[in-house]
Amino acid sequence: MARSLPSTSLPSLLISVMFMAVDATTFTLVNKCEYTVWPGVLANAGEPPLSTTGFTLQKGESRSLAAPAGWGGRFWARTHCALDPATSKLSCLTGDCGSGQLECGGRSAAPPATLAEFKLNGDSDLDFFDVSLVDGYNLAMLVAPQGGSGGRGNCTRVGCTSDLNGACPSELRVMARGDGSGAAAAACRSACDAFRQPQYCCSGAYGSPQACKPTSYSEAFKRACPQAYSYAYDDATSTFTCAGADYVITFCPSPSTSQKSASSQDQTPGPATDVAPLINSTMVYEGAVEASHAAPSARARTRLSVVGLASVAVSTWRSRHLLLA
């Protein structure tokens, strides 16, 4: 006698599978830098981790990650990374998550690091996203929604595509040495990270929007990157929304000029050093607009995955009914 199995109709099974596929949001991370980067991924508290929390992206490479509905978290790029030959531990000059491994495993980026932050399906079922310099800046970044609903949210490209490393004040500058050409600016710290004072960190007596105001340092960041968060309460001009989109996150929208080409083999971090600015703060990457078209087939891939999953659903439904026959 055939074992009794729960009866599931083919239409309901297909609908549930299709909704699971369509609800997923695809994040595509693209490296247009002239050097390798090591992206890190951190889910918000209570959110599930994605399929990876850290990986390597060579120059010109990209990688896509699927996130479930309602997911929230952040992405960033670690730079100037190398393996310690004695301990086999990975360490990075900027954005290091402290895990000592390729995977960050639930650890966040140590400042300075440019961050892309997301909360999917938030209020009114909108995705909320931003590019943040609150923890400093290590490279240019652009977030481009793909296929979002124009009628809900503004679905605009958001980022910081100016070179803040070359224009960074000497007291905030992080330097790297390597490739025989001397020191070069590798990152720009936030004033909070550099000085640890409440007025820069929006803490203590300054822990409210009314008390914590922009400083000369955050205003310099804001002038260079008007769309990006420059300090903790910079919400009005720095939070963006969209609905039903996938997202392309591009590191160093081409052409990359924020840092010299470097690899893990020829980078030797050195102490911070005061040097003259390398580049004007008004420098903007010419390829910023084209990054919005970096992954035009993201939704197409989702539709293909729906078809594939639907085929699996049909096979599963048939198997169940053969067993019941």
Side-chain angles (χ1 to χ4, degrees), residues 7-312:
S7 178
T8 305
S9 68
L10 178 57
S12 62
L13 184 60
L14 284 172
I15 290 171
S16 62
V17 170
M18 290 172 70
F19 270 110
M20 283 191 296
V22 171
D23 283 348
T25 296
T26 299
F27 291 102
T28 301
L29 284 71
V30 181
N31 180 18
K32 288 193 175 182
C33 302
E34 293 297 322
Y35 46 87
T36 302
V37 298
W38 289 259
V41 186
L42 176 68
N44 292 342
E47 301 285 357
L50 302 189
S51 59
T52 180
T53 59
F55 54 96
T56 303
L57 272 186
Q58 303 289 341
K59 173 186 174 182
E61 286 187 338
S62 64
R63 180 167 177 175
S64 295
L65 304 173
W71 186 84
R74 57 178 54 179
F75 302 86
W76 70 95
R78 294 168 284 178
T79 68
H80 296 270
C81 298
L83 282 174
D84 186 324
T87 63
S88 296
K89 287 188 176 180
L90 181 72
S91 62
C92 304
L93 181 61
T94 77
D96 198 311
C97 58
S99 68
Q101 302 174 3
L102 196 58
E103 296 274 348
C104 285
R107 297 170 181 260
S108 189
T114 313
L115 305 175
E117 302 175 313
F118 294 85
K119 175 55 183 174
L120 306 178
N121 307 107
D123 290 345
S124 302
D125 205 31
L126 290 171
D127 298 342
F128 289 76
F129 62 100
D130 65 78
V131 169
S132 175
L133 307 180
V134 174
D135 287 343
Y137 169 103
N138 66 339
L139 49 66
M141 180 186 290
L142 186 71
V143 174
Q146 303 287 296
S149 170
R152 301 183 58 209
N154 52 22
C155 296
T156 189
R157 294 184 301 273
V158 175
C160 180
T161 56
S162 295
D163 176 36
L164 297 187
N165 289 336
C168 185
S170 60
E171 61 269 30
L172 303 182
R173 190 177 296 140
V174 176
M175 305 299 292
R177 302 182 187 277
D179 72 13
S181 62
C188 192
R189 301 169 71 186
S190 69
C192 173
D193 181 45
F195 308 129
R196 301 291 180 179
Q197 295 180 11
Q199 65 266 35
Y200 297 118
C201 298
C202 294
S203 60
Y206 294 87
S208 70
Q210 294 75 29
C212 195
K213 302 300 182 182
T215 67
S216 60
Y217 293 106
S218 67
E219 286 176 339
F221 278 19
K222 196 66 176 178
R223 285 193 299 270
C225 297
Q227 294 177 315
Y229 262 90
S230 59
Y231 77 108
Y233 294 112
D234 192 14
D235 301 85
T237 60
S238 305
T239 301
F240 298 84
T241 58
C242 192
D246 294 323
Y247 297 91
V248 176
I249 303 169
T250 302
F251 304 120
C252 306
S254 61
S256 170
T257 55
S258 63
Q259 294 177 349
K260 295 190 176 185
S261 177
S263 67
S264 61
Q265 287 77 23
D266 61 17
Q267 290 174 339
T268 306
T273 307
D274 294 349
V275 298
L278 300 180
I279 225 164
N280 191 303
S281 64
T282 60
M283 180 75 174
V284 177
Y285 296 105
E286 297 297 330
V289 174
E290 71 183 60
S292 66
H293 305 293
S297 60
R299 278 294 175 191
R301 285 197 300 274
T302 301
R303 286 193 292 270
L304 288 174
S305 67
V306 171
V307 173
L309 287 169
S311 299
V312 172

